[in-house]
Amino acid sequence: MSDADDGPRSDEAPLHGVGPWEGPWPDDARLDPELLEHGDRRNVVDRYRYWRHEAIVADLDARRHPFHVAIENWQHDLNIGSVVRTANAFLASAVHIVGNRRWNRRGAMVTDRYQHLRHHPTVEDLAAWATEAGLPVIGIDNLPGSVPLETYALPRECVLVFGQESVGLSDAVREVAVATVAIAQYGSTRSINAGAAAAIAMHAWVGRHGDIAAGHG
């Protein structure tokens, strides 16, 4: 939590969740006695109600998808929280913050507590990590020479990289990426929000490689 810069954070969501446990006390090591006693108002799906934080992360780790997400953070991009939240929803292996270590976590809606995060000071550091892990780097940006995301065969194991809201992908990312793909657009704006682009790209990965039935269970 040392990287947070938006003040105190809480799992409290008064309109959601469940109250104190009713009935015989359950014998399940995954459950948190304090949550059972006082209720669980966290932003988690129902299957994880009353579960300990560590138990939730362990269960997610057993099911994570083999794609990673990276976002450049040279100018304190406010979209990072949204990207982290979406990465959690699509169960990405990890989110990589490239550039400035500090980022505004408010938009993550506490999902960063359940999502693995890594920091890379430079694009070169990210590229070295990806090479060692055997993962191709794929840039997502509406740039000259980009290929359509809609027809590109996203690899099952890869790193999807997103640039800053204002300037898009840096030249450094374009140099190390095996491909740069663009999302189809038809209106007057030259680009879409970086957080929205990340959600579209991750969903494209799910459409190609994900267990659709499991995502709607």
Side-chain angles (χ1 to χ4, degrees), residues 58-128:
D59 189 70
L60 294 174
D61 285 348
R63 301 184 292 108
R64 290 193 193 277
H65 291 135
F67 75 92
H68 293 244
V69 174
I71 184 166
E72 297 187 275
N73 184 36
W74 309 114
Q75 301 173 1
H76 203 68
D77 197 315
L78 297 179
N79 289 287
I80 294 178
S82 174
V83 173
V84 171
R85 183 180 181 184
T86 303
N88 172 269
F90 291 126
L91 206 55
S93 285
V95 175
H96 302 252
I97 312 298
V98 183
N100 296 324
R101 179 181 291 274
R102 294 175 64 85
W103 55 280
N104 190 320
R105 302 197 180 205
R106 192 178 302 277
M109 297 292 289
V110 198
T111 55
D112 54 303
R113 297 185 180 181
Y114 307 94
Q115 183 64 52
H116 296 302
L117 303 172
R118 296 181 64 120
H119 174 248
H120 304 273
T122 67
V123 172
E124 290 74 19
D125 291 324
L126 172 68

Side-chain angles (χ1 to χ4, degrees), residues 94-213:
V95 175
H96 302 252
I97 312 298
V98 183
N100 296 324
R101 179 181 291 274
R102 294 175 64 85
W103 55 280
N104 190 320
R105 302 197 180 205
R106 192 178 302 277
M109 297 292 289
V110 198
T111 55
D112 54 303
R113 297 185 180 181
Y114 307 94
Q115 183 64 52
H116 296 302
L117 303 172
R118 296 181 64 120
H119 174 248
H120 304 273
T122 67
V123 172
E124 290 74 19
D125 291 324
L126 172 68
W129 174 87
T131 297
E132 183 176 353
L135 299 175
V137 172
I138 299 171
I140 313 292
D141 204 348
N142 185 21
L143 296 169
S146 298
V147 298
L149 171 64
E150 295 75 19
T151 59
Y152 182 74
L154 285 174
R156 187 169 185 274
E157 299 181 4
C158 61
V159 184
L160 304 175
V161 187
F162 305 89
Q164 291 264 140
E165 175 70 22
S166 58
V167 297
L169 285 178
S170 67
D171 290 340
V173 170
R174 298 181 68 184
E175 290 176 4
V176 301
V178 299
T180 300
V181 302
I183 297 166
Q185 296 177 213
Y186 304 92
S188 61
T189 184
R190 66 167 297 276
S191 64
I192 60 176
N193 174 270
I200 292 169
M202 285 186 250
H203 190 262
W205 185 97
V206 167
R208 176 173 289 272
H209 300 292
D211 182 339
I212 307 303

